[in-house]
Amino acid sequence: MTLRLLAASALALMIGLAVPAQAQTQTATATAGTISVEDWTAYKAKFLDPSGRIIDTANGNISHSEGQGYGLILAFLANSVADFDQIWTFTKTELLLRDDGLAVWRWDPNKTPHVTDANNASDGDILIAYALSLAGETWQRPDLTSAAQSMIAAIGKHVVVGTPGGSITLLPGVTGFKSTEREDGPVVNPSYWVFEAMTRFATRDKATDWKALSRSGQALVQTARFGDRQLPAEWVSIKQSPVPAEGFPAEFSYNAIRIPLYMVRAGITDRNLLRPFMADAGGPGLSLVELKSGAVSATLSDPGYRIIPSLVACVVDKKPLPQDLLRFTPTDYYPSTLQLLALSYLRNIPGGCA
């Protein structure tokens, strides 16, 4: 989540590692109509403000670029043009205020001015651009396609950066994460790689090597594993060998839980990459883990969280999902969003695995 935006030579080594061939085969799964009218109606009744902003109900009802991106994607998956346009209107008028073509990341209804942090968040930018590209081509909307292309180019120009070894990485934001800005920089967040979006960007923008960026994200997930459970940290220094970044908790937490969802939705189903994320499948909740001690700091029982390890086990081992996870009732913004993304994927794969 972009709310964790609190603030490179090693990546070249990671890219040199052998990423399993299956892990590099990605298939876009975003198809309009794979979220039911009933589910989308329930979601938007709770989280979509009439102004077009998606409300983060667990964080003071603020809005952010990540939420707007998710909202656009879900509206597309629900095939709701009117709702998509409503969300896009707020996004472009209230968040696309930077002079580099990227979105400011935080908007607070209780503050004046409403923008309380003008830095961008690259995951939010990617989600917005991805949704615009999907909707523009599917609904034959040149205005959306043009906006998508401009934003994809801006992402590639400003937050996809080279490393001394000749590879590339994704900065979490334009400001605050570079080697010139942090002693342990560059610092990256593995959950900011929206793999299905990068697959699409690769066929529509040749200025950036999006396939190489996708491979770098997979290599990061493969190598930045810590503790007994071999889980990735939220924030990782890649100055040398990947290590949890200074100044951030060394934990597998709310950011990182979406990594396997992004991989599965992109068709990345390699067991070696996904195995650490299956431990909680079918259990009482999704574990947040302190990586140094291995202690479970919290167990998340919301269906939107529990569906992620079960989805991974379903895709990798054909284990049926518990039936309660297939029923959607909105709770808070983040788990409800993750659950709808998982359900959309399940409804779009031939034969399913549920």
Side-chain angles (χ1 to χ4, degrees), residues 186-202:
V187 164
V188 298
N189 189 315
S191 78
Y192 278 37
W193 268 259
V194 186
F195 293 106
E196 62 186 286
M198 293 171 185
T199 299
R200 185 175 186 86
F201 293 175

Side-chain angles (χ1 to χ4, degrees), residues 150-162:
S150 295
M151 201 163 187
I152 293 168
I155 295 165
K157 180 178 180 181
H158 297 291
V159 290
V160 179
V161 299

Side-chain angles (χ1 to χ4, degrees), residues 18-323:
V19 179
Q22 187 179 14
Q24 299 179 38
T25 302
Q26 302 178 12
T27 303
T29 61
T31 303
T34 51
I35 289 178
S36 71
V37 173
E38 294 77 14
D39 287 353
W40 173 242
T41 299
Y43 182 94
K44 71 177 184 178
K46 190 161 187 178
F47 308 118
L48 178 56
D49 183 83
S51 67
R53 73 181 185 94
I54 298 295
I55 302 169
D56 187 339
T57 52
N59 194 50
N61 292 332
I62 72 164
S63 296
H64 34 71
S65 57
E66 168 213 279
Q68 295 306 112
Y70 279 144
L72 289 168
I73 291 173
L74 294 178
F76 168 77
L77 294 173
N79 203 28
S80 178
V81 177
D83 292 328
F84 187 100
D85 284 342
Q86 182 184 18
I87 299 167
W88 172 228
T89 296
F90 179 90
T91 303
K92 67 182 176 181
T93 57
E94 297 292 331
L95 299 188
L96 283 173
L97 306 176
R98 294 170 55 95
D99 60 9
D100 58 9
L102 304 176
V104 300
W105 81 271
R106 181 183 173 98
W107 193 99
D108 191 333
N110 300 312
K111 302 290 185 180
T112 302
H114 294 306
V115 174
T116 56
D117 191 335
N119 198 12
N120 74 305
S122 58
D123 66 333
D125 296 323
I126 290 169
L127 291 166
I128 293 167
Y130 180 47
L132 291 170
S133 181
L134 289 168
E137 294 188 21
T138 300
W139 296 334
Q140 298 183 7
R141 291 274 300 275
D143 59 320
L144 300 180
T145 299
S146 177
Q149 290 302 117
S150 295
M151 201 163 187
I152 293 168
I155 295 165
K157 180 178 180 181
H158 297 291
V159 290
V160 179
V161 299
T163 66
S167 56
I168 56 177
T169 193
L170 177 69
L171 294 175
V174 170
T175 303
F177 302 95
K178 304 180 185 74
S179 58
T180 55
E181 297 169 312
R182 291 179 57 99
E183 186 175 343
D184 64 341
V187 164
V188 298
N189 189 315
S191 78
Y192 278 37
W193 268 259
V194 186
F195 293 106
E196 62 186 286
M198 293 171 185
T199 299
R200 185 175 186 86
F201 293 175
T203 64
R204 290 156 179 83
D205 174 64
K206 302 304 181 184
T208 297
D209 191 344
W210 296 103
K211 291 183 179 179
L213 185 63
S214 179
R215 290 194 297 271
S216 80
Q218 293 172 57
L220 182 64
V221 173
Q222 188 177 49
T223 58
R225 296 178 175 181
F226 310 103
D228 292 340
R229 288 184 55 169
Q230 292 291 283
L231 290 165
E234 303 274 278
W235 300 94
V236 179
S237 166
I238 57 170
K239 181 178 182 179
Q240 297 178 7
S241 298
V243 294
E246 298 173 5
F248 297 97
E251 60 186 8
F252 174 81
S253 192
Y254 290 95
N255 273 287
I257 61 176
R258 60 189 176 172
I259 293 171
L261 177 62
Y262 283 166
M263 290 197 293
V264 166
R265 281 187 54 86
I268 302 170
T269 58
D270 181 78
R271 171 178 287 277
N272 183 51
L273 286 175
L274 293 172
R275 184 180 62 252
F277 303 106
M278 293 192 290
D280 296 323
L286 174 60
S287 300
L288 305 185
V289 180
E290 296 176 356
L291 298 174
K292 292 182 179 178
S293 67
V296 174
S297 58
T299 301
L300 308 180
S301 60
D302 190 295
Y305 296 131
R306 287 193 294 121
I307 198 172
I308 296 176
S310 292
L311 174 66
V312 175
C314 181
V315 170
V316 175
D317 287 340
K318 307 303 179 186
K319 292 181 62 175
L321 275 78
Q323 287 299 304

